[in-house]
């Protein structure tokens, strides 16, 4: 595409088998790199590192402000766990998705766009982030649907007026919040339909067995299950202590529902080609859940035990990173050629 051939693998047949937002970012980088493949790989890796750092800073800042300092430290350690960090720095769209997801959490909490039934112009910022999230990974449509359902339920269940008035207000709310998402998605979907005859990218069409169900639990790695379990455990702990009305807990519950639907879809209807970065949304959800759990544990332990625990976790993290780095190969790196 950067060389002027359009989106194609062989310069003959066009393709739409990619996540659009990340591809649109890569094209100008590839254009600037020209034919220098090494420069292109280094530039893409640098962009991934910068985006991952920004996403991590935003996420840890959110945890620090909403939950506490020690939970924020745990969140930072979890971000750098090798199986999580490697997926985010793979050169794929995971880091970008993580950044938008973290920004969406902060904006939704700050503005109350999904909890306040009254439509406001500022709600559109949340909708814009939902649209960008879907363009970053199209299967985040499950998250978008649960957010829309949340806004609908909140609008119908809360606020004054007759059922008809609440219904009308909720419809206006939906339009105010989600019109930017529709505006961002419609051109891309229209291009897919006009150029390829269907809305779903070719890669998704080939991988899915929908509507014929299957069962492929191997699509979910251990870290995916662990992150989802952390998110659900954090929600459960907060609900048990009577904090289910906390905006962060409620938002985490809604997002987790969308992530569960996404995971179920992958296990039931995706036949192959499901990789670690496909579940990048589990990273922020799991980290927030782990932070909530950490706060609960911190309340029950002495300061000395908490400090000792943090030191232990840090040592384990260093060992995990050292082990991961020691097993890195030289395949597809500049060092491979230099080493012969």
């Amino acid at each position: 595409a950067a060389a002027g051939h359009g989106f194609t693998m062989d310069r003959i047949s066009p393709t739409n088998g990619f996540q659009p937002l990340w591809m649109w970012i890569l094209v100008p980088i590839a254009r600037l790199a020209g034919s220098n493949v090494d420069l292109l790989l280094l530039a893409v890796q640098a962009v991934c590192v910068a985006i991952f750092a920004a996403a991590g800073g935003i996420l840890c800042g959110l945890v620090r402000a909403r939950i506490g300092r020690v939970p924020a430290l745990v969140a930072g350690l979890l971000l750098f766990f090798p199986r999580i960090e490697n997926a985010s720095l793979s050169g794929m769209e995971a880091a970008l998705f993580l950044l938008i997801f973290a920004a969406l959490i902060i904006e939704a909490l700050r503005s109350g766009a999904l909890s306040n039934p009254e439509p406001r112009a500022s709600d559109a910022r949340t909708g814009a982030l939902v649209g960008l999230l879907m363009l970053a990974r199209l299967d985040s449509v499950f998250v978008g649907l649960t957010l829309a359902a949340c806004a609908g339920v909140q609008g119908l269940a809360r606020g004054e007026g007759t059922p008809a008035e609440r219904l009308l207000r909720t419809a206006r709310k939906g339009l105010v919040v989600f019109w930017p998402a529709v505006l961002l998605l419609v051109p891309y979907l229209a291009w897919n339909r006009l150029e390829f005859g269907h809305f779903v990218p070719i890669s998704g069409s080939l991988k899915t067995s929908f509507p014929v169900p299957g069962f492929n639990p191997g699509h979910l790695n251990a870290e995916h299950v662990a992150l989802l379990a952390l998110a659900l455990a954090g929600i459960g702990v907060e609900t048990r202590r009577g904090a289910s009305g906390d905006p962060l807990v409620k938002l985490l519950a809604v997002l987790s529902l969308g992530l569960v639907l996404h995971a179920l879809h992958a296990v039931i209807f995706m036949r192959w080609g499901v990789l670690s970065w496909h579940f990048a949304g589990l990273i922020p959800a799991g980290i927030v859940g782990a932070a909530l759990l950490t706060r609960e544990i911190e309340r029950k332990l002495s300061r000395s035990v908490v400090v000792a625990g943090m030191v232990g976790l840090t040592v384990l993290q260093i060992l995990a990173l050292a082990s991961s780095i020691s097993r890195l190969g030289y395949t597809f790196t500049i060092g491979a050629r230099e080493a012969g």
Side-chain angles (χ1 to χ4, degrees):
H5 302 294
F7 295 112
T8 178
M9 299 292 290
D10 55 9
R11 301 188 185 184
I12 299 174
S13 302
T15 183
N16 61 349
F18 50 83
Q19 301 296 337
L21 187 57
W22 183 232
M23 179 64 76
W24 298 337
I25 291 173
L26 291 181
V27 168
I29 296 175
R31 180 69 176 178
L32 292 173
S35 60
N36 191 331
V37 177
D38 291 339
L39 178 59
L40 174 61
L41 293 176
L42 287 173
V44 171
Q45 190 66 64
V47 170
C48 283
V49 169
I51 294 175
F52 178 69
I58 290 173
L59 199 55
C60 290
L62 167 69
V63 172
R64 174 67 179 87
R66 291 270 180 171
I67 304 176
R69 183 176 62 179
V70 172
L73 292 174
V74 171
L77 288 174
L78 190 55
L79 268 174
F80 282 98
F81 184 72
R83 295 294 293 267
I84 293 175
E85 180 189 34
N86 292 345
S88 300
L89 300 178
S90 62
M92 303 300 286
E93 67 280 347
L96 177 64
F97 186 85
L98 178 60
L99 176 63
I100 298 172
F101 205 110
L104 173 60
I105 293 174
I106 289 177
E107 177 59 28
L109 290 173
R110 188 197 63 80
S111 66
L114 301 173
S115 57
N116 189 328
E118 295 297 330
R120 298 165 299 174
S122 60
D123 294 342
R125 290 194 295 266
T126 298
L129 288 168
V130 171
L132 290 174
L133 191 74
M134 292 187 188
L135 289 174
R137 274 212 64 84
L138 297 170
D139 47 20
S140 61
V141 62
F142 296 102
V143 172
L145 289 174
T146 55
L147 291 173
C150 172
V153 170
Q154 291 282 353
L156 292 174
R158 296 175 58 188
E160 300 177 353
T162 65
E165 290 172 336
R166 289 201 299 271
L167 180 61
L168 182 60
R169 183 174 58 242
T170 300
R172 291 202 309 269
K173 178 74 172 184
L175 289 173
V176 169
V177 174
F178 293 106
W179 73 262
V182 175
L183 188 65
L184 287 168
L185 289 166
V186 164
Y188 169 73
L189 295 175
W191 173 71
N192 278 348
R193 180 65 179 176
L194 293 173
E195 291 292 325
F196 301 96
H198 45 75
F199 294 111
V200 179
I202 184 64
S203 53
S205 299
L206 292 174
K207 294 176 184 179
T208 185
S209 65
F210 185 84
V212 179
F215 186 63
N216 296 288
H219 291 337
L220 291 173
N221 296 333
E223 62 269 24
H224 302 145
V225 176
L227 287 168
L228 184 56
L230 285 171
L232 297 178
I235 296 167
V237 165
E238 292 299 299
T239 301
R240 183 177 179 182
R241 74 180 189 89
S244 58
D246 184 308
L248 177 59
V249 176
K250 291 173 66 175
L251 180 59
L252 179 60
V254 174
L255 294 173
S256 296
L257 176 58
L259 295 170
V260 167
L261 293 175
H262 173 212
L264 287 174
H265 175 267
V267 168
I268 296 172
F269 293 114
M270 298 299 287
R271 293 178 293 193
W272 56 276
V274 180
L275 303 170
S276 58
W277 54 82
H278 289 203
F279 300 102
L282 292 172
I283 297 174
I287 284 174
V288 174
L292 293 171
L293 287 172
T294 301
R295 180 174 64 182
E296 188 65 18
I297 294 171
E298 185 186 9
R299 287 170 174 162
K300 299 179 179 179
L301 299 176
S302 66
R303 181 173 178 80
S304 60
V305 174
V306 171
V307 171
M310 290 303 302
V311 171
L313 286 175
T314 302
V315 171
L316 289 174
Q317 179 70 298
I318 293 172
L319 292 175
L321 286 171
S323 175
S324 178
I325 292 170
S326 70
R327 292 184 287 109
L328 287 176
Y330 289 98
T331 309
F332 303 118
T333 66
I334 299 172
R337 287 194 292 277
E338 292 178 349

